[in-house]
Amino acid sequence: MDNYLHKPIAVIGAGSIGERYIRLLYNLGFNNIVVYRRSEKPFKSIGEAKVKVVYTFEELLAESIVCAIIATPTYLHLEQSVFFAEKGIHILVEKPLSNTMEGIQLLKNIVKKNNVFILVGYMMRFHPLICDLKEIISNEYYGKLISIQSKWAEFLPDWHPWEDYRISYASN
């Protein structure tokens, strides 16, 4: 991994999730973080992270990035994933990848052709409890599963206390 710590990694979008990725990358020792954003607003919470900010994809590609973390509004995820896959750049894209299957096969073909790694980020995917539950179900530890129900809920006003949740992107 030390080999990659100095290579340019892009964070596409610098909202709350993008800023979280910036902090995580910095705390993991990555020191060549390039942030693509459309506005010149100040960062809210990237801590001590040092980043280079660019405002066009041309500037971004000039940095020779090896990976793009896509944390933009969801309607851009698939289009941006296709763009970076076409350039041979590895991708971590926030969920959901898309709201439709249209364009997914194209992305799969480009990823395969260009030998690109792509992962859709989901914060619970590797949670120890979820992994244990998957193993219990797969191994039929309690017998064959017939049905399961799960509920995930959060209080939306707590997500971004600094803004009116009723007009936030998440509430739409």
Side-chain angles (χ1 to χ4, degrees), residues 102-137:
E102 188 176 325
I104 299 294
Q105 189 59 52
L106 170 66
L107 176 62
K108 287 171 71 174
N109 294 342
I110 295 168
V111 162
K112 186 174 181 178
K113 176 183 166 220
N114 291 341
N115 199 28
V116 168
F117 293 105
I118 183 168
L119 177 68
V120 177
Y122 177 61
M123 72 277 192
M124 297 300 285
R125 177 174 286 150
F126 302 109
H127 190 285
L129 179 60
I130 302 298
C131 292
D132 288 349
L133 184 59
K134 181 181 186 310
E135 185 176 328
I136 288 168
I137 293 168

Side-chain angles (χ1 to χ4, degrees), residues 92-109:
L92 170 60
V93 58
E94 267 300 305
K95 67 176 179 356
L97 175 59
S98 182
N99 65 338
T100 177
M101 292 303 291
E102 188 176 325
I104 299 294
Q105 189 59 52
L106 170 66
L107 176 62
K108 287 171 71 174
N109 294 342

Side-chain angles (χ1 to χ4, degrees), residues 79-97:
E79 174 187 333
Q80 291 174 343
S81 294
V82 167
F83 175 84
F84 289 109
E86 285 175 334
K87 307 292 186 220
I89 296 168
H90 304 299
I91 304 160
L92 170 60
V93 58
E94 267 300 305
K95 67 176 179 356
L97 175 59

Side-chain angles (χ1 to χ4, degrees), residues 41-171:
K41 291 187 218 173
F43 292 104
K44 287 187 174 96
S45 63
I46 64 169
E48 297 176 16
K50 310 284 186 280
V51 300
K52 178 173 185 176
V53 178
V54 297
Y55 301 98
T56 67
F57 277 6
E58 291 78 23
E59 291 175 280
L60 186 62
L61 294 175
E63 296 296 322
S64 302
I65 59 172
V66 295
C67 174
I69 299 173
I70 300 173
T72 53
T74 53
Y75 74 93
L76 295 169
H77 289 180
L78 183 59
E79 174 187 333
Q80 291 174 343
S81 294
V82 167
F83 175 84
F84 289 109
E86 285 175 334
K87 307 292 186 220
I89 296 168
H90 304 299
I91 304 160
L92 170 60
V93 58
E94 267 300 305
K95 67 176 179 356
L97 175 59
S98 182
N99 65 338
T100 177
M101 292 303 291
E102 188 176 325
I104 299 294
Q105 189 59 52
L106 170 66
L107 176 62
K108 287 171 71 174
N109 294 342
I110 295 168
V111 162
K112 186 174 181 178
K113 176 183 166 220
N114 291 341
N115 199 28
V116 168
F117 293 105
I118 183 168
L119 177 68
V120 177
Y122 177 61
M123 72 277 192
M124 297 300 285
R125 177 174 286 150
F126 302 109
H127 190 285
L129 179 60
I130 302 298
C131 292
D132 288 349
L133 184 59
K134 181 181 186 310
E135 185 176 328
I136 288 168
I137 293 168
S138 296
N139 293 328
E140 297 183 3
Y141 187 76
Y142 295 108
K144 187 172 172 97
L145 180 69
I146 296 170
S147 175
I148 190 168
Q149 279 189 327
S150 174
K151 182 176 181 178
W152 177 279
E154 292 190 38
F155 189 57
L156 196 54
D158 286 346
W159 280 16
H160 296 163
W162 58 85
E163 67 184 3
D164 183 349
Y165 75 94
R166 294 167 295 184
I167 58 172
S168 71
Y169 179 77
S171 71

